[in-house]
Amino acid sequence: MLLHLVSTEADLPVFLAMEPFAEVPLFEMDEYEEEEVLSVRSKGVCTFATYPMAPPAGTDPDTYIYMNFMKSHSCYDAMPRSSKLVIFDTTLQVKKAFFALVANGVRAAPLWDSKLQCFVGMLTITDFINILHRYYKSPLVQIYELEEHKIETWREIYLQYSVNRLISIKPDSSLFDAIYSLLKNKIHRLPVIDPASGNVLHILTHKRILKFLHIFGSMIPKPKFLQKQINEVPIGTFREIATVQESASVYEALAIFVERRVSALPVVNEQGKVVALYSRFDVINLAAQKNYNNLNMTMKEALASRSCWVEGVLKCYPHETLETIIDRIAKAEVHRLVLVDREDVVRGIVSLSDILQALVLTPADIYKWPTFQV
């Protein structure tokens, strides 16, 4: 594993080599995934049985297949053979940190406090969105807080409204525990920390876990309920879907991200048809293009100025099966699909969180906490 430590000592990166593990995980994949703030932590320890369970009498055995699969595999099993991990010192300027995220193609970084000599949180694209939303005034006024603040200064301000603890997990913990922690704490990134050394080994995500299941799930029986249509199963968000008009400003979109705690917004035209998807990751492109001082641009303009070409909107339809939808999400390596009708009008969102909740936690009688569209 290669650690990229960014500090205030110099603009050049410092690379820290770690000893290779004795075991080798089963597969490797790129890490380009959605983010969520990990500045907070609740202990969130799972108190449910973390070992495989036999189905009670009279219960469909298919119900427990994926739950038991996750209980039988550890976080280490889902880690790649090699990956890039960027670490920020809390004394680094916020602006430099966000530019470093863009330059390294990552969406979040653990934060190291050199005074406390430990990891204290994560810096993610959500922090960038919160800073822009809180301090932006107009294209003519520089965002001083973004230009001058250090990460530790932003954390002092932001953490007045949250708990100052890092959510993490051990490599030998089960994937079931990881899913429980991700969904319970409503986060998208879970650092895997070696309890002996205190080092961050990997950042585990919903996408990584579903990819692991998608690849190695062929070794277990395929549940019959996968053949059910999405309109037959209670998986997804179908009420009060957050969308944004393509004529709206980027600042209006940021306000929806913050207020509704969503990680992507279907962009709709005047007829209500979905024409694009604007995600939190698109917002970091404002840093790459140095457009973050012009949040008055329309969504249509922002989408046209994307630094990378995006192929339409990944959608699903009410008549499609759960298996088809899972395959589409896993192969496309996205975090959600937009559920539309025949007229391409948005009817819902089916996310990785929804799928993991239904396949893994609900069978263990762990039901949804008050949720937000993701």
Side-chain angles (χ1 to χ4, degrees):
M1 178 182 290
L2 196 59
L3 292 186
H4 184 175
L5 176 64
V6 182
S7 70
T8 55
E9 297 300 321
D11 289 332
L12 296 176
V14 178
F15 293 98
L16 306 176
M18 293 180 62
E19 291 296 322
F21 298 115
E23 301 176 62
V24 178
L26 298 174
F27 72 97
E28 171 180 359
M29 64 176 266
D30 293 333
E31 289 290 330
Y32 293 99
E33 307 177 287
E34 296 297 323
E35 51 44 71
E36 182 66 37
V37 164
L38 284 183
S39 302
V40 301
R41 175 180 182 175
S42 64
K43 293 187 178 179
V45 177
C46 181
T47 57
F48 296 84
T50 56
Y51 47 83
M53 296 168 54
T59 303
D60 184 354
D62 282 1
T63 303
Y64 292 83
I65 288 177
Y66 291 131
M67 180 191 70
N68 286 334
F69 178 85
M70 293 301 178
K71 289 183 176 182
S72 302
H73 291 85
S74 70
C75 295
Y76 183 78
D77 293 335
M79 289 168 54
R81 267 189 295 228
S82 63
S83 63
K84 180 187 292 185
L85 181 62
V86 178
I87 296 171
F88 294 146
D89 191 288
T90 56
T91 57
L92 183 69
Q93 281 187 321
V94 168
K95 181 179 177 180
K96 287 186 177 181
F98 289 124
F99 281 147
L101 288 180
V102 174
N104 286 280
V106 296
R107 306 187 182 191
L111 298 176
W112 175 260
D113 189 315
S114 54
K115 296 175 185 175
L116 299 176
Q117 287 293 295
C118 66
F119 290 101
V120 293
M122 295 281 286
L123 188 78
T124 74
I125 298 174
T126 297
D127 291 297
F128 185 56
I129 291 172
N130 285 331
I131 289 173
L132 294 181
H133 179 255
R134 182 186 290 247
Y135 297 114
Y136 178 77
K137 294 179 177 64
S138 81
L140 301 177
V141 180
Q142 187 181 49
I143 305 177
Y144 168 81
E145 291 79 5
L146 179 60
E147 301 289 339
E148 303 297 333
H149 274 185
K150 295 179 179 179
I151 294 174
E152 60 187 2
T153 309
W154 164 243
R155 281 175 52 79
E156 287 173 5
I157 296 170
Y158 183 75
L159 293 177
Q160 293 177 20
Y161 310 102
S162 57
V163 180
N164 185 8
R165 292 180 183 177
L166 174 67
I167 301 169
S168 64
I169 198 165
K170 295 185 291 185
D172 59 353
S173 296
S174 72
L175 287 174
F176 179 90
D177 287 343
I179 295 169
Y180 177 86
S181 185
L182 285 165
L183 271 61
K184 179 181 185 298
N185 295 293
K186 301 182 180 69
I187 57 176
H188 286 186
R189 299 188 175 275
L190 185 63
V192 182
I193 297 182
D194 181 356
S197 66
N199 289 332
V200 177
L201 306 179
H202 185 62
I203 307 297
L204 199 59
T205 65
H206 303 79
K207 190 183 299 182
R208 182 75 191 180
I209 293 172
L210 188 68
K211 186 73 174 181
F212 181 80
L213 174 62
H214 190 252
I215 292 176
F216 297 102
S218 59
M219 299 185 298
I220 59 178
K222 185 178 293 186
K224 296 175 184 176
F225 63 75
L226 290 182
Q227 300 309 313
K228 288 187 176 182
Q229 295 180 359
I230 194 65
N231 58 6
E232 298 176 325
V233 290
I235 298 177
T237 302
F238 307 104
R239 296 179 180 177
E240 300 180 354
I241 304 302
T243 63
V244 64
Q245 294 283 332
E246 60 179 349
S247 58
S249 69
V250 171
Y251 185 80
E252 289 176 272
L254 297 187
I256 299 173
F257 280 134
V258 172
E259 293 163 10
R260 295 288 302 273
R261 290 190 62 184
V262 297
S263 60
L265 291 170
V267 182
V268 298
N269 61 19
E270 293 179 355
Q271 291 73 44
K273 295 184 178 182
V274 61
V275 295
L277 192 67
Y278 193 70
S279 72
R280 290 176 183 268
F281 184 67
D282 287 309
V283 178
I284 202 67
N285 285 327
L286 296 174
Q289 299 163 0
K290 299 183 179 179
N291 281 337
Y292 52 82
N293 243 23
N294 183 21
L295 302 183
N296 291 347
M297 74 173 86
T298 66
M299 292 302 304
K300 192 170 185 177
E301 293 170 337
L303 293 168
S305 66
R306 276 173 167 166
S307 58
C308 58
W309 183 73
V310 179
E311 184 180 358
V313 184
L314 285 168
K315 298 175 284 192
C316 62
Y317 299 88
H319 66 271
E320 292 186 302
T321 66
L322 183 56
E323 181 179 18
T324 298
I325 289 171
I326 292 174
D327 285 346
R328 188 172 302 151
I329 287 180
K331 289 176 182 176
E333 296 189 11
V334 295
H335 194 269
R336 90 285 298 153
L337 299 179
V338 181
L339 182 72
V340 297
D341 59 20
R342 293 180 181 179
E343 303 299 322
D344 272 349
V345 174
V346 178
R347 297 302 181 193
I349 298 287
V350 180
S351 72
L352 290 178
S353 300
D354 297 323
I355 291 171
L356 291 174
Q357 170 67 50
L359 299 187
V360 180
L361 296 191
T362 299
D365 290 330
I366 304 174
Y367 297 97
K368 281 189 176 184
W369 295 271
T371 56
F372 301 88
Q373 176 188 325
V374 292

